[in-house]
Amino acid sequence: DPLVVDKTGTLTEGKPRLTSVKAMAEWSEEDLLRLAASLEQGSEHPLAEAIVDAAKERDLKLSSTDAFNAETGRGVTGETDGHEVAVGNQKLLDDLGLDITDLVEQAETLRRKGATAIFVVIDGSPAGILGVSDPIKESTPNALKELRKMGLQVVMLTGDNETTALAVAKELDIDEVEAEVSPDRKNEIVSQLRDEGRIVAMAG
């Protein structure tokens, strides 16, 4: 009776595109994007791919990366072009003990438009923010309408920020949303629903 759905690539096209680059004063937008994309070359995440594609479209020369580390549900860290770089969400920056007060409002503005805000840290200091948008599939609204007619309850689980998730959910009229959910937590939620005696399907 509940259908649990992921957001990226399920409700959305799964082909995110970089839609904005905002750099802090000491960095140019090009340098910010070049360093972020150099690091993200080592990641398989669709958001990482969007950053790398945008850098290549702008003919930016990407560097190789050392000490690359991907942290599930948070982001990536490593060394590139002589700089220590981290690219990820607010959880990653919290782990690094960084204050991003100056970037919070910019991030929220992006999220209210349904975009994902990705922070870039260079040499231990917040350097800027990237906005990545993933359009909702044309077929999604009608598919959800048909599923509701069948009496299914639609639950959206996403690793994305709550503001972004709620913007997408509002557009699709989805009432039940859990955001900032790790892959393990998604598994827990499905188990929890099953323990309540529900028959659960998941699309992701």
Side-chain angles (χ1 to χ4, degrees), residues 150-175:
M150 293 162 66
L152 288 174
Q153 165 201 7
V154 179
V155 181
M156 183 173 95
L157 304 184
T158 176
D160 216 335
N161 173 274
E162 188 171 13
T163 307
T164 305
L166 291 174
V168 172
K170 186 179 178 187
E171 196 173 333
L172 293 173
D173 209 18
I174 297 173
D175 295 329

Side-chain angles (χ1 to χ4, degrees), residues 18-19 22 44 84 134 163 189 194:
L18 184 76
T19 47
K22 296 179 188 295
E44 295 174 349
E84 285 187 17
D134 186 12
T163 307
I189 292 166
R194 292 177 69 188

Side-chain angles (χ1 to χ4, degrees), residues 74-106:
R74 281 170 165 69
V76 292
T77 58
E79 294 167 21
T80 185
D81 202 18
H83 297 283
E84 285 187 17
V85 182
V87 182
N89 59 21
Q90 199 157 336
K91 286 179 189 170
L92 180 67
L93 272 68
D94 290 344
D95 289 349
L96 296 170
L98 295 173
D99 178 12
I100 52 162
T101 310
D102 295 345
L103 293 172
V104 167
E105 190 45 50
Q106 291 181 49

Side-chain angles (χ1 to χ4, degrees), residues 134-155:
D134 186 12
I136 290 168
K137 281 181 188 171
E138 233 176 86
S139 57
T140 296
N142 198 45
L144 291 177
K145 196 172 156 188
E146 292 300 316
L147 289 163
R148 287 191 191 99
K149 271 189 198 167
M150 293 162 66
L152 288 174
Q153 165 201 7
V154 179
V155 181

